[in-house]
Amino acid sequence: VPTGDATENVVPLVDHHAHSVVGDIADRATFERYLTEAAELARGHSSAFDSFLGASLLRYCGPVLGLATTAGPDEYLARRVELGGEESNRRLLRAAGVEHIVVDHGFRAEDLVDVPELAQLAGAAVHQVVRLEHLAEVVAAQGVRPSKFADKFAQRLAEALSGPSAAVGCKSVMAYRHGLDVSPIEPGPGEVRRATEEWLSAARGSPRGTRISHPVLLRHLVWAALRTGAPLQIHTGYGDADLELHRSNPALLTRLIRLAAPLGAPIMLLHCYPYHREAAYLAGVYEHVYFDIGLAINYAGYRATEVLAEAVETAPLHKFLYSSDAFGLAELHLLAAVNFREALAHVLQPLITHDSRSQDEVARLAAMIGSGTARHVYGLPEERRP
Ligand SMILES: [Zn+2]
């Protein structure tokens, strides 16, 4: 039976969606900023540590840095500063015991350590996804005529998905830039050209520059990605204050999912919380749809077991994956791994005690959820990189 003990790392994990970590943390306020999706930290009387996430962090990360499980936030931060960012990052990332990490390095990359350094610190193989909106913005910033944009983008996407350091998939943040409530139909060439004209002319003189939020273009990027056949990650559910939550419900993608089925590209619904039951339904009825509960595992702390149980209660188990959605703090990489292993062990245990399945059978299911499905979908090698 898998256990939740951080030191045992019984269940092999592939983290199919995460971000890199910051090199170092200057102070408690900076640290706390990474513990919340809030736009503003509450001042004075409150702390991001006053949460199930905060409690779980101190409980599991403290001992990895040589503290008691009972240490408080100030003690924790003092110890982290004493050890230094690099040593803290190395200890925390290695304790997570994740074999492969698929990172989205297209968001605030300048604040985070680069991909080779993350791999070094974590002792893991690190792969990347192409962030579609970012790539489109790069293409625009380099100068492109509206009539040439679709071809240029397709070419750059194909390049990113090929070669020795090829990305293993794509990612859409359409939920942030507009909402998932778009037309499900692939836009035609004329529609894309007109939308590109609108986008590029609005970009001139705008403080947000070429930031892409035109719904026709966001749809176009999604379809261009689906046409490559590579796994397409789509942000759904919980996110920061740029998001309108009700417009990030993955059920809004139902018609698009149906229309995309013939293309065969796996659609990976990220985060999903609090719509994880909707996501489980979609993964259950559409062969090419997969899902995870991403950052909810971290926010829920010891309650991760209940969230995970809700996610898989009706889902085919080969459609559910592990992701941390850790951003910035190595702590979040570790916590997600610990809480996921523990929650999974609790949720699968009744298959033995109640449903008379064998230990081996349940270990097989745990390995499939923790890593097998991600290896299969993203084509990752079996063995750990030396
Ligand atoms: Zn993310």
Side-chain angles (χ1 to χ4, degrees), residues 9 16 19 43 137 154-155 290 297 307 345 352 386:
N9 297 335
H16 92 113
H19 304 264
R43 274 172 284 270
E137 287 157 3
Q155 185 198 331
Y290 298 78
I297 285 286
V307 179
I352 300 171

Side-chain angles (χ1 to χ4, degrees), residues 269 271-284 290-294 296-297 303-322 340 343-344 347-348 369:
L269 303 173
H271 319 324
C272 304
Y273 183 89
Y275 308 112
H276 44 297
R277 283 170 156 156
E278 281 89 334
Y281 164 76
L282 294 168
Y290 298 78
F291 76 115
D292 68 36
I293 45 174
I297 285 286
R303 288 268 304 163
T305 299
E306 281 73 16
V307 179
L308 196 146
E310 288 173 359
V312 299
E313 64 196 359
T314 65
L317 297 178
H318 70 287
K319 294 302 206 59
F320 179 64
L321 294 86
Y322 168 64
F340 189 85
L344 192 60
V347 169
L348 296 182
I369 292 169

Side-chain angles (χ1 to χ4, degrees), residues 2 25 49 109 119 126 156-157 161 223 231 258 287 297 301 309 312 383:
I25 291 287
F49 276 101
V126 179
R156 291 293 300 273
L157 185 57
L161 291 167
W223 279 98
R258 271 187 214 141
E287 202 208 330
I297 285 286
V312 299
E383 71 287 351

Side-chain angles (χ1 to χ4, degrees), residues 174-175 178-184 215 244 246-249 252-253:
M174 182 160 70
H178 176 80
L180 300 178
D181 48 346
V182 292
S183 162
E244 288 179 38
H246 67 291
R247 297 172 69 193
S248 74
N249 186 331
L252 291 165
L253 294 169

